[in-house]
Amino acid sequence: MESNSENDLLEEDFYSVLNLPKSATPEEITYAYRRLSKIYHPDKHVEEDKKKQAEVLFNKTQKAYEVLKDPHQRAIYDCVGVKGLKTEGWEIVHRTKTPQEIREEYEALARDREERMLRLRTNARGVFTAKIDATDIFEPNQYIDFDNEDDSYLYIPAIEVSSMTMSMSTEAPITLRDTVVLSGNLSSRSGSVSSSYKRLLSTNGWVKYDVTAGNGLHVGAKIFKMITKTIFGTVEGSLNDISSGMLRPVGRVLLGTSLGARTTGYISLGGRLTSIKHTSLSTEVEHNTERSYCMCKLEIGLAPAISMLYTWKFIEQDLLLRIYARAGVLNSKLEYGVEKKVSKLNTFAATVQIDVINGVTLKIKFVRASQTYIFPILLSHDVIAPPIFYATFVPIVSWFVAKNVILDPIMKDYKNREINKQREINKKRMAELRQEALSAINLMMATMERIVREETEKRGLIIVFAKYGNAELINQSGESFDNNDTLQPNIIDVTVPLQCLVKDSQLILHSTTKCQLPGFYDPCIGEDKVLYIEYTHRDQNYEVKINDNEALRIPRPHSVLVRTSTPPS
């Protein structure tokens, strides 16, 4: 564990140490340093213990100041972090360059590193599909006599795997412009092998060639080109072996244009090049936003049809809801389903397909990293109510049961293991940070008392009580949490350090973690944290609660009054 723990080690955040935003000006950096120096400078303290505590904190503050005041060191720190400063001479750039050149150099080196990794990486993808025939559940064998009075047997529906397909593709970047893809497809009835070669022609175009052998021969080519800034097009053609010695030419031309910031329109013409009646014309409009996706398509040809797809995106829940409808001369269908991102690498999807010709199908899909598993389950050859009902509600009930009984406990156990791992790795460091925070609070007492007196005289901002730590515990305690209560091990009292950050009757915190602010430390590493503050301003009582990385400025107009009694001064 220790050999791979470098990325889990806590790193100093110099901006948090000085309570500054990353956009802080040199003047703001100097002011923040001087303000903290008045508290931490060893010469400000007489007692020997306080002098030692002040020396440690003063050196930490001075280190942050020296890095941020130097434009070159600050640029390195912003790009690489503390490890970039520890590299002797910092080999990746010359110190004589300007800060902007350092940033540009680092970004260029990062791109080169990604490109080198791209050349070495092989992107393998696999898809496994198993078609299941479960029609016997809703369409029992017609030769079985269910009216037979003999109850000695129990009828079990026959569920069969009608076909299986496995496909694998490997993407191999040869150069920055050239990529080769090799893929194979094997089913219970046949198989095929294909390869494609793609080359970037420029920043606004590419060409791709395909060759497939298996179920006949397929040779194709496709060209993409940006015609203007808003118009693009593709031309593709192929030769398909339909029988021994006979090739069928197929082609397609597509033009697309931007109709707005989030709207795109397409028109395409394609089909057999030797038969006009087998060609079709289609037009399509799609509108894509952060919360939804909509597509409308009209097809004109041998089998006219109109179709529409709408997707609702629930970003906070990592959830997608889709509904698709198609009405055509030869066939009509309706599809609706849900897609849920279970974890960073796992996605689960369930779709109900109601097809006039093919009946009712429940399609289950599971994606694990680059591997996809698809299970289309045919429930009925006809469109009838029972399979539609069960296909809709059984997956929903199954999901909630699996989530609460299996997935949530597994994810909770995994999260606890990660938290324990981080705590073990940073055990010594956390003890040091806790001691630094306690020393800082001890040194801040005189400053805090002075600020309270000044703010009291002008009826300004006084921090009555503040706590920082585990989000779940603080949210549960709510208003019932009194400042006289004993704080739990994963919640700390930060009243004193916050009062010392008050300036001109204002408290300003920036959108960075609060655990490295002066007088703070992380009491529950790896867990979600919040900051809860009760304060008075103009003799009125307020409370505010923010997430760990949320910015805050108080007093603010939308603060909520929580008490009518005057808190102790």
Side-chain angles (χ1 to χ4, degrees):
M1 182 173 65
E2 291 182 1
S3 61
N4 298 322
S5 63
E6 182 179 353
N7 293 331
D8 294 320
L9 291 172
L10 294 178
E11 201 174 68
E12 286 184 305
D13 187 338
F14 294 145
Y15 290 100
S16 290
V17 169
L18 299 178
N19 188 29
L20 291 169
K22 291 189 176 181
S23 58
T25 63
E27 292 76 16
E28 291 172 334
I29 294 171
T30 301
Y31 176 79
Y33 167 69
R34 288 178 178 174
R35 190 179 179 197
L36 289 175
S37 296
K38 293 178 181 179
I39 301 174
Y40 297 147
H41 201 288
D43 294 342
K44 298 284 185 180
H45 305 278
V46 179
E47 299 176 14
E48 193 63 29
D49 290 342
K50 286 191 175 182
K51 273 185 173 292
K52 291 181 180 179
Q53 295 173 356
E55 187 175 352
V56 174
L57 295 168
F58 179 75
N59 290 337
K60 183 177 181 178
T61 306
Q62 192 174 40
K63 179 182 177 182
Y65 172 63
E66 288 176 351
V67 171
L68 298 184
K69 75 171 183 178
D70 185 328
H72 293 82
Q73 290 194 62
R74 185 179 180 184
I76 295 170
Y77 173 73
D78 288 344
C79 292
V80 191
V82 175
K83 60 180 177 290
L85 301 170
K86 292 179 180 178
T87 305
E88 185 177 353
W90 204 52
E91 293 89 345
I92 64 173
V93 295
H94 298 291
R95 296 276 184 162
T96 54
K97 292 191 175 183
T98 66
Q100 182 60 30
E101 288 174 333
I102 289 176
R103 288 187 169 89
E104 292 174 355
E105 182 82 4
Y106 172 76
E107 291 171 358
L109 289 171
R111 287 194 298 270
D112 290 341
R113 183 168 61 251
E114 291 177 358
E115 290 168 356
R116 287 195 300 271
M117 292 298 295
L118 183 66
R119 296 189 188 103
L120 299 174
R121 183 171 63 238
T122 299
N123 188 9
R125 296 182 179 276
V127 178
F128 173 80
T129 304
K131 293 184 178 180
I132 300 173
D133 189 341
T135 56
D136 203 33
I137 297 176
F138 300 98
E139 301 172 356
N141 193 319
Q142 59 180 333
Y143 298 106
I144 296 178
D145 184 9
F146 288 95
D147 296 328
N148 194 319
E149 295 181 358
D150 183 7
D151 296 331
S152 61
Y153 65 87
L154 176 66
Y155 175 71
I156 300 177
I159 300 177
E160 302 176 349
V161 178
S162 57
S163 66
M164 287 193 300
T165 303
M166 292 181 289
S167 62
M168 180 69 70
S169 65
T170 301
E171 184 176 305
I174 302 174
T175 67
L176 296 179
R177 288 181 174 271
D178 302 278
T179 302
V180 172
V181 178
L182 300 175
S183 60
N185 183 289
L186 179 64
S187 69
S188 54
R189 299 172 183 173
S190 61
S192 63
V193 178
S194 63
S195 66
S196 64
Y197 167 74
K198 183 177 181 180
R199 177 171 177 79
L200 296 177
L201 301 177
S202 60
T203 57
N204 54 3
W206 50 263
V207 61
K208 182 180 179 183
Y209 305 97
D210 299 290
V211 177
T212 301
N215 296 323
L217 179 66
H218 168 90
V219 180
K222 184 176 182 178
I223 300 175
F224 171 84
K225 180 70 175 177
M226 288 296 300
I227 302 172
T228 67
K229 290 184 178 181
T230 59
I231 300 176
F232 58 90
T234 61
V235 178
E236 57 183 307
S238 63
L239 291 174
N240 301 317
D241 184 7
I242 57 174
S243 61
S244 180
M246 296 184 62
L247 294 176
R248 174 183 293 166
V250 178
R252 182 170 177 261
V253 178
L254 179 144
L255 282 177
T257 182
S258 175
L259 302 176
R262 297 181 179 273
T263 306
T264 307
Y266 305 89
I267 184 169
S268 66
L269 176 66
R272 299 182 194 174
L273 299 181
T274 56
S275 175
I276 297 179
K277 70 176 183 178
H278 288 97
T279 60
S280 63
L281 176 68
S282 68
T283 180
E284 178 182 338
V285 177
E286 63 178 19
H287 182 69
N288 193 7
T289 68
E290 294 181 355
R291 295 289 178 178
S292 64
Y293 171 83
C294 180
M295 182 275 295
C296 297
K297 186 176 182 179
L298 175 64
E299 300 173 66
I300 302 174
L302 189 62
I306 183 171
S307 58
M308 180 175 179
L309 169 67
Y310 196 89
T311 302
W312 292 268
K313 304 177 184 178
F314 300 90
I315 300 174
E316 294 80 4
Q317 293 80 21
D318 289 326
L319 184 71
L320 299 178
L321 294 179
R322 294 191 181 95
I323 183 168
Y324 171 77
R326 174 187 171 90
V329 174
L330 299 180
N331 188 23
S332 297
K333 65 170 62 177
L334 173 67
E335 297 180 7
Y336 53 89
V338 60
E339 181 178 309
K340 169 69 176 177
K341 189 173 184 180
V342 182
S343 65
K344 186 176 181 180
L345 297 176
N346 300 319
T347 301
F348 174 82
T351 303
V352 179
Q353 300 176 341
I354 304 172
D355 194 306
V356 173
I357 295 178
N358 298 315
V360 181
T361 301
L362 173 62
K363 183 177 179 182
I364 304 295
K365 183 171 75 171
F366 178 71
V367 180
R368 166 70 177 174
S370 59
Q371 304 300 311
T372 303
Y373 304 89
I374 303 173
F375 301 94
I377 306 172
L378 181 62
L379 300 177
S380 171
H381 294 97
D382 301 316
V383 179
I384 54 180
I388 297 175
F389 176 83
Y390 285 102
T392 302
F393 291 101
V394 169
I396 296 176
V397 175
S398 302
W399 163 253
F400 280 104
V401 172
K403 181 178 183 298
N404 290 282
V405 177
I406 302 175
L407 295 177
D408 284 351
I410 291 176
M411 295 304 296
K412 185 177 181 180
D413 182 62
Y414 173 78
K415 183 178 180 180
N416 290 335
R417 290 200 307 270
E418 288 297 308
I419 291 173
N420 291 333
K421 175 186 173 183
Q422 290 187 30
R423 286 176 177 171
E424 186 63 30
I425 293 172
N426 295 282
K427 187 175 182 180
K428 182 178 179 181
R429 178 61 178 155
M430 289 307 302
E432 294 174 355
L433 293 175
R434 181 178 182 275
Q435 186 56 48
E436 284 183 9
L438 295 175
S439 298
I441 292 174
N442 188 28
L443 298 173
M444 289 175 178
M445 294 303 295
T447 303
M448 186 270 292
E449 292 171 357
R450 175 182 57 80
I451 294 176
V452 168
R453 286 195 301 270
E454 294 174 354
E455 293 295 324
T456 302
E457 290 175 0
K458 57 184 179 183
R459 299 169 59 228
L461 175 60
I462 297 177
I463 306 298
V464 177
F465 178 63
K467 57 183 177 177
Y468 172 73
N470 183 275
E472 184 176 354
L473 291 175
I474 294 179
N475 290 332
Q476 286 177 354
S477 61
E479 297 181 11
S480 63
F481 196 104
D482 188 71
N483 56 355
N484 293 320
D485 291 343
T486 301
L487 294 178
Q488 302 187 36
N490 43 10
I491 299 175
I492 59 175
D493 188 334
V494 291
T495 307
V496 173
L498 283 183
Q499 186 66 70
C500 288
L501 292 176
V502 172
K503 176 66 175 176
D504 297 329
S505 297
Q506 278 195 335
L507 173 64
I508 300 175
L509 302 177
H510 304 285
S511 55
T512 58
T513 179
K514 310 299 181 289
C515 66
Q516 295 199 39
L517 288 171
F520 282 62
Y521 70 94
D522 192 341
C524 50
I525 186 170
E527 300 178 20
D528 294 333
K529 291 172 281 291
V530 299
L531 174 63
Y532 172 82
I533 306 172
E534 294 179 12
Y535 65 95
T536 65
H537 183 257
R538 298 289 184 259
D539 297 329
Q540 296 294 322
N541 302 282
Y542 304 91
E543 73 170 359
V544 65
K545 188 189 298 180
I546 61 170
N547 294 324
D548 189 27
N549 290 295
E550 189 176 348
L552 173 67
R553 178 188 293 268
I554 57 175
R556 54 184 185 177
H558 55 283
S559 296
V560 180
L561 182 64
V562 294
R563 286 199 181 100
T564 57
S565 60
T566 303
S569 59

